Amino acid sequence: MEEQVSNIQKSIAHTNSLLNILTLEGTINWEDLISLVTPPKQKRTWSSYFSADEQEKLRESLPKLEMDTPSIKRWINLVRRIELCIQDNISPGSEHAKLIIEDIEILSQETFQGDQNLMDKFWRVRRSQELSNELNLYPINQEIIDFLEEAYALTQGQLG
């Protein structure tokens, strides 16, 4: 009975992942389906980048695609807003971008519970396509990362 419950929970998690991928990308690729049932081949592990305490904090607080929570929906909406800015040629120095950065800072404070060091460490890993893949993080388009970094730098330049 416990095994059946576990299998049903995994199926629900996989379904939520697919729904969130569909929301983000507007389509589902075979690679997305396969990645849900095939364990990733990891060269490095989370312990290569984070202490045991940091890993535990990240495990508890990072949004996961298999979740159906307000937090994951807010992160998905942020990614979609950035995609729209890129699509509509809205500058990373625009008011839209400033609001996106403010929203990211708010969500990051919630996600990392104010731990700036952990937030910075995670971002160093997250912004690297290679490291994100190694840790089996959802791939974020490099254009989105570049937009974010430029918008953040411009925002910090205006504040500092």
Side-chain angles (χ1 to χ4, degrees):
M1 182 74 156
E2 287 180 24
E3 186 177 332
Q4 287 177 328
V5 169
S6 175
N7 287 337
I8 290 171
Q9 289 173 329
K10 284 180 187 176
S11 293
I12 291 169
H14 289 176
T15 302
N16 281 332
S17 292
L18 289 171
L19 288 171
N20 287 326
I21 289 170
L22 182 62
T23 299
L24 272 168
E25 298 181 8
T27 185
I28 297 176
N29 299 312
W30 280 107
E31 296 84 24
D32 298 328
L33 292 171
I34 293 169
S35 71
L36 292 175
V37 294
T38 306
K41 297 175 186 167
Q42 294 179 319
K43 297 175 189 167
R44 296 185 205 160
T45 62
W46 286 81
S47 60
S48 301
Y49 306 100
F50 304 100
S51 70
D53 183 48
E54 290 171 332
Q55 290 176 63
E56 184 62 28
K57 285 181 183 178
L58 291 170
R59 223 181 334 274
E60 291 172 3
S61 63
L62 284 179
K64 297 165 188 62
L65 280 177
E66 63 267 16
M67 299 166 64
D68 185 27
T69 63
S71 176
I72 189 69
K73 289 177 182 177
R74 286 193 301 263
W75 282 110
I76 288 170
N77 283 344
L78 276 169
V79 170
R80 293 176 71 200
R81 286 170 53 200
I82 296 166
E83 289 173 336
L84 288 172
C85 284
I86 293 167
Q87 175 185 321
D88 295 339
N89 293 316
I90 296 174
S91 165
S94 71
E95 288 300 315
H96 290 291
K98 288 178 195 170
L99 289 173
I100 288 170
I101 294 299
E102 286 178 21
D103 287 346
I104 286 175
E105 288 175 342
I106 291 166
L107 273 175
S108 293
Q109 285 297 319
E110 290 175 12
T111 301
F112 295 99
Q113 293 123 23
D115 188 337
Q116 186 67 43
N117 184 49
L118 182 56
M119 192 182 326
D120 292 342
K121 278 178 83 171
F122 182 75
W123 180 246
R124 281 192 295 274
V125 170
R126 190 64 179 114
R127 71 182 191 214
S128 163
Q129 298 291 323
E130 179 183 342
L131 299 181
S132 290
N133 288 340
E134 287 179 3
L135 297 182
N136 200 33
L137 296 171
Y138 179 80
I140 295 179
N141 185 313
Q142 189 60 46
E143 276 185 299
I144 292 170
I145 301 288
D146 294 343
F147 183 93
L148 272 175
E149 289 192 327
E150 186 176 345
Y152 185 77
L154 291 168
T155 302
Q156 293 305 303
Q158 291 172 358
L159 296 176

